[in-house]
Structure formats: structure tokens, C-alpha cells
Amino acid sequence: MEQTQIDALRARPVAAFDHLIEGKYVPASDGGRLDIISPIDGTVMTTTAAGTVDDMQAAIASARAAFEDGRWAAQPPAARKKVLMKWADLIEANALELAVLGVRDNGTEIGMALKAEPGSAAGTIRYYAEALDKIYGEIAATPGDILGMIHKEPVGVVGAIIPWNFPMMIGAWKLGPALAMGNSVVLKPSETASLSLMRMAALALEAGLPPGVLNAITGEGRVVGEAMGLSMDVDVLVFTGSGATGRRLMEYSARSNMKRVYLELGGKSPNIVFADAPDLDAAAKVAAAGIFRNAGQVCVAGSRLLVEASVHDAFVAAVAKASEAMRVGDPLDVNTHIGAVNSEVQLKANLSFVETARAEGGQVITGGGRILQETGGYYMAPTIVTGVTRDATLSQKEVFGPVLGVTAFETEDEAIALANSTVYGLAGAAWTANLGRAHRMVRAVRTGVMHINTYGGADATVPLGGVGQSGNGSDKSLHAIEKYVNLKTAWIKL
Ligand code: TXE
């Protein structure tokens, strides 16, 4: 990755984006535009169409027509595979351009963005392209005079609502399996990070995806997202984002056609460090990266550090040292470890969490405030708060920013009780050299993902999904396909 290439790409003006409907770029029905602000310096870098309810309905109608006439669903699996493979190749061929565009829009440090965004999006789409002709129906164990067959059919029109923290990666988690199974999709990227995903969607058409099979509408969640949620013609809604919006989507479903709703929501993931961890120094560095990369804007971020009391002070000092060594700043500088916070709203929310933590008795031992204000961008120092009690706001509410709360524990049982004391259950980790304890922690901590002696890092082969108020259903792996198919029984008398 060359800094000069990145600088050349960042100097390019960004064209205005319109919706993508039926393979064509279309402005909002009322001509409305949305300013797109770069978190790098707070300037308006371009505009997107500010979608209307009519725009969303047009996109859904186009997707429905595309599904019904079989222009994609009825293609032979090998043909669908070829298109998706080519799409993955195009994403890879344009990886740096996509990554820089995405970073200008959402602020993720370029090193991480390049790997996690186009890199992982291409890998995910390829994974489902490779899988699609290896997924079979079933023949049931019926009496001899009956043939019981179980078909897996596409659901029809999938609505996908995507957040701003990793738009291409999370977009691909939904688009890959949905399209592989023959569905049509209407995409709704986040208003604060839509550009790279819109560009990635356009590449799908370039790869040969028929017009209408993938439509994309930009605009405000409460307008176009709501219209998607309330549509009578969307069969399945898949979402990553906040619990508040997730709740609304379930209500929309109940108020409309009872569409299936799959939610990947936030977390308050515990990173549990026992005194018998194999390498406490390495654990401290990973703990810092596990909360501070992408400025903490990671759904599985290890935002609660639970440390065995006997090593608490030394371990926290090591995490503080590791975090202070991380360079915060221009996300398009290859030497930056922590980029910008996505928006001013998010930055203000992060800072107010720190104030609340102080008021509730926590000690801010490093960071705590906004930095680099002179750039006009939204930057925050990695922040560590110790002495955070089990019921403190910082233990219970997702910040989604570079703020780590630390709590000491004495026993394994206490660690488990603390770990399970929130409404969330997305991810977690335990650090221990004791094999029995490692397996006990995997079983006892209620999460969708449990890491042992590492934090984060998982590929397309394993599911990611939450329990409790972290959501339902899984992204990634072959299990994600279940969300995008209906099972149909054929009961045949022979
Ligand atoms: O999320 P929203 P926001 C969490 C995180 C963060 C908080 C707020 O805690 O601080 O959410 O972020 C669309 N109907 N996560 O406000 O609003 C919206 O346009 C339909 C965790 O950005 O949930 C966007 O496309 N759609 C997280 C998407 O929902 C609506 C990632 C997510 O936005 C809508 C992001 C509506 N009424 C935030 N309102 C994770 N789990 O990784 C908004 N949207």
C-alpha cells in the first residue's frame, strides 16, 4: 500500500451519487440531496440522493419484477456463480479506490479499511459464489410409498439496511448469501457512509448482475429505511445497526406483512483476562487493539475489560501503554492506527459517556477527550476508565467509540457473572492457559462468539450473530444462507 497512491486518490473530487434502480442512476423523486460530510476534516465532500418513500417503493417494485421474471433466480447456478465471482474480482481490482472512498466517508484507518472492507467483501462474495452450487435440498425418511422432498427456495425480495462502520464488509455479509440463493435485493446504506457501498453495488452490475436484481437507495433511515420496513413487498429484512432501530424494524414488520427480520445489533463484549493468561503483554496489546481500532466503532469491540484482581494494576498499565502508542489521526495516513469517529453526533455521544463514567465514580486513566480539533475532523483519544462497577452506564450501554471500561474480579464465577450482566451477547474473550477453564468460559459466557487467547479476527467460514439484545440469526458461514431461503416440502404419493 503506497502512500502516494492513496494521496492521489484522496485528491480526486467525489462525484455526486444517485440511487441505483433497474440498472440506472436516478435522482430523488423530489430532487432532494443529502450532504456527505467527511469525518477526516468535517467538510462536505459530495452529495447523495435524499431518498423519498416513492424512491424506495420504486426500488422494491423493480426488485420484485426482477425476481418474478426469473432473470436471476432462474439462471443456472453456474451462471450465477460466474457473475458473483466476477463481482468479487472487480471489487479486488478496485480495492484501493473503494477503500479510500470509504475512508473519506467513514473515517476508518486505511490499513484496517483495505483489509476489512474491499478485501473481506470480495472474500465473502466469493465464499457464497463457491457455495451456491453445493447446497442441496433433502429427501426425508418417509414410508416407502411416499417421496418427501425439502426444497430450498429463494425468499424473493430482501431488504438490507447497512450501518456506517464497515459498509462494504457488512454489506457483503448480506448481499453474498442473498444473491447467491437467487433473491433480489434492495440495499439501504447508512446516510453517514454510503459511497463505497454504492460503488460496490454498481460493480455488481458491471459484473453481469441483471438490472433490478440489486437496487440501492440512499437517504435517511427514518424515511427510506422506514418505507422499506413497512413495505408489503419485502419478504425478509436484514439489518446491522442500533438496538433502537432494530426494535422499530420489528414493529414495522408487525404493522405490515410480518416479513422475517434478522438483526445484528450492538454489544458490550467482555474481554476477560485471568492471571494465568499465557502472555499478559501480548494480551494487553490485543486488548487495546480490540477496543480502539476503527475508533471503537466495531460491533464486537471488547469494550469491557474484566481483569483478575491480582494482575489488574500491571495489566491495565500495559493496556494504557499500548493505547498511548497507537497513533490517532488522518485515517488516510498509512501510519495511523486509529482514524476518525464517524460523525460529530457520534463524537459528542462518546464524550458524554466519558462524563457519565466520571460522574459515576470511574477514573479516566488515559485519554478522555476530543483531539486534533484544528483539523475540523472528529478525533478522540483512546480512553480507559478504571473502577467501573457492574451496573455503571459504561458497563451496561454500548458506546461505539474508543472508550474502554475496566472492572476487577476475584474468581472465575465472578468473572462469568460480570460477563453475563448485560442485555447484550455478541462477542467476548477469555485469556487463560488453563484448558479446562478456557472451555468452561466458552460454555458459560452468553455470546455469539467467544475468543480464547485472542480478540477479534474471524473469517467467512464461521457465523457471527448475537444472543439477547445483540440480535438474532447469523451473518457469515453457510448458516447465513438459512435467512435467505424458504423451505418447501414436496409430499409425493408414489
Ligand atoms: O445507528 P442506526 P446509528 C449502534 C452504536 C451506535 C448507535 C447509533 O451503538 O452508537 O447504533 O448509530 C438505518 N428505519 N450501532 O444512529 O440508526 C440507518 O439509516 C429503518 C451498532 O448510525 O441503527 C442506517 O442505515 N432504518 C452497529 C442503519 O439503520 C433506519 C453499527 C443503522 O443506523 C431507521 C452501527 C428507521 N427508522 C451502529 N433509522 C453494529 N452493530 O455494528 C435508521 N435506520
Side-chain angles (χ1 to χ4, degrees):
M1 180 173 55
E2 287 288 334
Q3 187 66 56
T4 48
Q5 283 173 286
I6 293 167
D7 291 341
L9 287 166
R10 88 186 305 174
R12 283 192 193 168
V14 182
F17 277 70
D18 282 333
H19 304 312
L20 185 59
I21 306 178
E22 198 69 21
K24 296 194 182 67
Y25 295 102
V26 186
S29 60
D30 63 1
R33 309 293 306 171
L34 213 59
D35 282 345
I36 300 301
I37 296 169
S38 175
I40 298 179
D41 55 12
T43 58
V44 175
M45 55 191 261
T46 188
T47 64
T48 63
T52 63
V53 172
D54 285 349
D55 297 339
M56 182 51 78
Q57 282 169 351
I60 293 167
S62 156
R64 170 61 58 192
F67 181 72
E68 297 300 338
D69 72 17
R71 72 187 81 161
W72 177 245
Q75 281 193 28
R80 280 189 271 132
K81 174 192 265 192
K82 204 169 159 192
V83 170
L84 294 180
M85 285 297 214
K86 178 142 187 236
W87 185 24
D89 291 345
L90 285 174
I91 293 169
E92 241 165 34
N94 292 280
L96 193 61
E97 188 203 320
L98 285 165
V100 171
L101 182 64
V103 170
R104 291 171 77 184
D105 201 6
N106 86 338
T108 303
E109 55 278 2
I110 185 70
M112 176 178 246
L114 196 56
K115 211 166 125 211
E117 283 278 87
S120 116
T124 298
I125 287 158
R126 206 167 274 138
Y127 176 88
Y128 290 105
E130 285 166 349
L132 69 83
D133 56 1
K134 297 166 194 72
I135 291 165
Y136 294 86
E138 293 162 30
I139 294 181
T142 53
D145 61 338
I146 294 291
L147 176 59
M149 298 168 77
I150 304 165
H151 295 268
K152 291 181 179 170
E153 297 187 327
V155 294
V157 176
V158 172
I161 302 181
I162 310 298
W164 41 262
N165 52 336
F166 292 102
M168 287 185 271
M169 174 176 87
I170 296 173
W173 289 350
K174 324 283 191 203
L175 290 168
L179 292 171
M181 299 320 290
N183 298 286
S184 294
V185 181
V186 179
L187 191 60
K188 200 322 245 157
S190 166
E191 47 273 60
T192 65
S194 51
L195 307 183
S196 56
L197 189 52
M198 292 300 284
R199 178 89 186 91
M200 187 172 115
L203 291 177
L205 276 90
E206 214 176 287
L209 194 71
V213 174
L214 173 57
N215 296 325
I217 298 290
T218 51
E220 298 206 31
R222 63 188 168 76
V223 180
V224 286
E226 179 172 299
M228 180 187 272
L230 287 171
S231 168
M232 295 299 287
D233 220 9
V234 168
D235 300 292
V236 164
L237 200 54
V238 287
F239 170 75
T240 298
S242 66
T245 301
R247 225 175 260 279
R248 277 190 203 108
L249 296 180
M250 291 184 131
E251 285 175 20
Y252 298 155
S253 165
R255 280 163 51 197
S256 54
N257 62 346
M258 295 191 279
K259 56 183 72 62
R260 273 151 58 186
V261 178
Y262 295 103
L263 307 172
E264 202 261 88
L265 309 172
K268 198 73 223 183
S269 299
N271 189 8
I272 308 163
V273 179
F274 289 96
D276 66 3
D279 181 345
L280 284 168
D281 273 341
K285 289 192 182 103
V286 176
I291 174 65
F292 296 131
R293 294 302 303 273
N294 200 20
Q297 302 164 132
V298 178
C299 55
V300 295
S303 55
R304 284 189 297 148
L305 182 61
L306 311 180
V307 192
E308 190 165 348
S310 60
V311 292
H312 174 275
D313 293 356
F315 190 78
V316 170
V319 179
K321 193 172 158 207
S323 73
E324 283 155 12
M326 295 174 90
R327 288 182 49 175
V328 185
D330 176 8
L332 287 172
D333 179 332
V334 293
N335 296 311
T336 292
H337 299 115
I338 302 173
V341 172
N342 178 249
S343 65
E344 195 169 10
V345 172
Q346 192 67 33
L347 176 63
K348 283 191 178 145
N350 295 347
L351 296 172
S352 110
F353 270 107
V354 177
E355 285 325 302
T356 305
R358 277 202 176 98
E360 291 179 355
Q363 293 94 50
V364 176
I365 61 151
T366 188
R370 181 176 186 176
I371 54 171
L372 302 170
Q373 200 161 350
E374 66 284 4
T375 61
Y378 315 127
Y379 299 92
M380 183 169 171
T383 300
I384 301 177
V385 187
T386 56
V388 178
T389 58
R390 171 193 151 131
D391 297 324
T393 305
L394 200 53
S395 293
Q396 297 299 324
K397 299 261 187 266
E398 181 178 56
V399 178
F400 219 60
V403 183
L404 177 65
V406 188
T407 308
F409 67 84
E410 299 279 352
T411 65
E412 190 177 307
D413 283 348
E414 193 188 350
I416 293 166
L418 281 168
N420 290 338
S421 68
T422 75
V423 297
Y424 295 111
L426 192 56
W431 297 77
T432 175
N434 177 328
L435 184 65
R437 169 176 274 168
H439 285 288
R440 285 196 297 276
M441 297 305 285
V442 169
R443 288 184 181 172
V445 180
R446 286 194 302 269
T447 58
V449 179
M450 194 61 188
H451 305 94
I452 296 294
N453 295 331
T454 185
Y455 202 97
D459 62 20
T461 63
V462 286
L464 171 66
V467 299
Q469 291 184 32
S470 288
N472 64 317
S474 295
D475 283 322
K476 307 199 295 166
S477 85
L478 295 181
H479 293 286
I481 284 173
E482 291 155 24
K483 299 193 288 191
Y484 304 99
V485 294
N486 288 325
L487 297 181
K488 180 187 273 176
T489 295
W491 185 261
I492 303 167
K493 181 93 172 84
L494 301 177

